[in-house]
Amino acid sequence: MERFVYADNAATTKLSQPVLDAMMPYLTEEYGNPSSLYRFGNHAKRAIENARAQVAKAINADPFEILFTGGGTEADNWVKELMYSLKKKGKNHFITSAVEHHALIHSAQRLEKEGFEVTFLPVDKEGRIDPEQVKAAIRPETGLVSIMFANNEIGTLYPIAEIGAICREAGVLFHTDAVQAAGHVPIDVKAMNIDLLSLSAHKFHGPKGVGAFYCRRGIPLPSLIDGGAQERGKRAGTENVAGIVGLGEAIRIAVEEMPETAKKVSAMRDRLIDGILEKVPMCRLNGPRHDRLPGNCNISFLGIEGESLLLRLDLAGIAASSGSACASSSLDPSHVLLAIGLPHEVAHGSVRLSLSDFNTEEDVDYILEKLPQIVSTLRSMSPLWEEIQKGEVAFTL
């Protein structure tokens, strides 16, 4: 292996040293239970409340409105619990999109099985949703709308402020899965009329296994886990103090450094996209050329199979993915790529390269050196590629 390039930051990011430093005391010396009445426990309790304030500040919320969870998936599942309570008020209609993370898609499918009405809004060829689609889908029995802030596979950014305004005017609750967006693009829950929001620490150089759920003050949120008074009685269980401290510090740093980081990462992303499209024939960028997450590059290569490409990249020391890390063991094509209109055979030949501020220009150079060679090698071994070149198989990108 000549070198190692980590280009799967949409799956998880490297824990930063300042975040680890902030966490260490609560893994070693400050190990008291936050629910204890003595000073040793109060130290941990104060650390949690400090992190709560850090998360609130990052999205312009109030600390009271922040609840800590075991991650973004758990936070997304709170939406399902809220729908159960809304049904008692005659609100049994749920609106989401066809390209959400599986945490939302599977929750919506479960709601359907349990008698709820669910609308999955379609997207255009770049994964976009028109706010007017949301407005048209809302009806008197609609209880909640959930549209992601940014797509985890193709990087599309959504018109959250416009959708939030529509939902607020209609008196419908609005949730956004901001797991990919938090720490990377500006978020203001008040200005954007966001009622509920999910985020996860390990997407912005924090620890795995900890996330947060924002719930606007005044919304009657049901309990997610019963059995204790932690998190205002909404999520029982002794808190992951070190993880929560890491989440708070990670999002503080990410928001503070966002202008500089976003500029650097976006420039590397653009150079990577341009380089691949220039060096590799018959490939396409998935998602919009602009209005996408700073580090996201998702490309489909005609005539090859994505899993083989990932394995070859791995042998060359490049870590990438075929889409959502949570579904990477599945052999089915990405539901996101199918939703934007790609045929199965094109969707199967896709790879997601996602960069962070830990990546370098040399990393981009290395990917641009190795990836075209690997694609060429795989195509040379494919009978399908030969047929495509001869025009015997008609594919469109």
Side-chain angles (χ1 to χ4, degrees), residues 297-345:
C297 169
N298 189 304
I299 306 278
S300 292
F301 301 93
L302 204 56
I304 65 170
E305 204 279 321
E307 187 175 358
S308 299
L309 176 57
L310 292 180
L311 292 172
R312 291 285 184 130
L313 287 169
D314 184 40
L315 289 173
I318 300 170
S321 77
S322 57
S324 170
C326 305
S328 58
S329 61
S330 172
L331 295 178
D332 295 329
S334 156
H335 71 287
V336 174
L337 298 183
L338 295 182
I340 65 174
L342 295 190
H344 279 59
E345 57 274 10

Side-chain angles (χ1 to χ4, degrees), residues 53 95 116 123 148 155 159 189 244 251 285 290 298 326 363 387:
I95 299 172
F116 288 82
V123 295
M148 64 195 336
V189 294
I244 289 169
I251 201 164
L285 174 68
H290 305 289
N298 189 304
C326 305
D363 289 341
E387 294 174 2

Side-chain angles (χ1 to χ4, degrees), residues 133 150 174 311 328 385:
Q133 293 175 258
F174 176 48
L311 292 172
S328 58
W385 177 244

Side-chain angles (χ1 to χ4, degrees), residues 155-187:
T156 306
L157 294 171
Y158 294 94
I160 295 302
E162 292 87 341
I163 294 172
I166 287 169
C167 292
R168 186 65 56 86
E169 184 179 352
V172 173
L173 293 178
F174 176 48
H175 167 261
T176 184
D177 175 346
V179 168
Q180 290 291 330
H184 301 287
V185 295
I187 298 175

Side-chain angles (χ1 to χ4, degrees), residues 73-256:
T73 294
E74 182 184 309
D76 281 347
N77 272 261
W78 223 322
V79 174
K80 182 171 74 242
E81 297 300 318
L82 186 53
M83 280 302 302
Y84 291 144
S85 66
L86 290 172
K87 188 177 183 181
K88 299 173 185 176
K89 302 176 182 178
K91 302 289 186 177
N92 70 331
H93 178 225
F94 177 60
I95 299 172
T96 189
S97 82
V99 293
E100 298 293 313
H101 186 277
H102 281 109
L104 255 301
I105 294 287
H106 291 172
S107 291
Q109 291 170 342
R110 179 171 173 178
L111 288 172
E112 273 190 314
K113 291 178 182 178
E114 296 181 7
F116 288 82
E117 293 186 62
V118 178
T119 298
F120 292 95
L121 297 175
V123 295
D124 67 15
K125 64 181 181 179
E126 293 186 334
R128 291 194 177 102
I129 290 174
D130 187 333
E132 290 300 314
Q133 293 175 258
V134 177
K135 187 174 185 179
I138 292 174
R139 49 201 208 215
E141 63 270 25
T142 303
L144 199 149
V145 172
S146 181
I147 303 295
M148 64 195 336
F149 206 107
N151 190 270
N152 54 302
E153 293 193 35
I154 60 175
T156 306
L157 294 171
Y158 294 94
I160 295 302
E162 292 87 341
I163 294 172
I166 287 169
C167 292
R168 186 65 56 86
E169 184 179 352
V172 173
L173 293 178
F174 176 48
H175 167 261
T176 184
D177 175 346
V179 168
Q180 290 291 330
H184 301 287
V185 295
I187 298 175
D188 185 327
V189 294
K190 291 184 172 68
M192 295 176 170
N193 290 307
I194 297 169
D195 297 307
L196 308 140
L197 178 145
S198 306
L199 59 84
S200 187
H202 75 110
K203 304 298 188 178
F204 44 84
H205 305 302
K208 298 177 183 66
V210 61
F213 189 68
Y214 157 76
C215 178
R216 181 171 57 81
R217 188 186 291 266
I219 295 174
L221 186 70
S223 297
L224 184 66
I225 301 175
D226 297 317
Q230 293 89 352
E231 297 305 288
R232 307 204 316 269
K234 302 298 185 183
R235 185 189 185 272
T238 302
E239 299 94 336
N240 173 8
V241 180
I244 289 169
V245 168
L247 165 58
E249 185 66 6
I251 201 164
R252 181 193 69 78
I253 294 171
V255 171
E256 185 178 291

Side-chain angles (χ1 to χ4, degrees), residues 332-378:
D332 295 329
S334 156
H335 71 287
V336 174
L337 298 183
L338 295 182
I340 65 174
L342 295 190
H344 279 59
E345 57 274 10
V346 177
H348 264 305
S350 303
V351 64
R352 182 186 67 185
L353 298 151
S354 47
L355 308 175
S356 82
D357 50 314
F358 279 96
N359 287 112
T360 64
E361 295 291 346
E362 289 74 23
D363 289 341
V364 175
D365 290 338
Y366 187 72
I367 296 171
L368 290 176
E369 174 192 347
K370 295 296 181 180
L371 188 144
Q373 296 173 1
I374 294 170
V375 171
S376 179
T377 299
L378 290 173

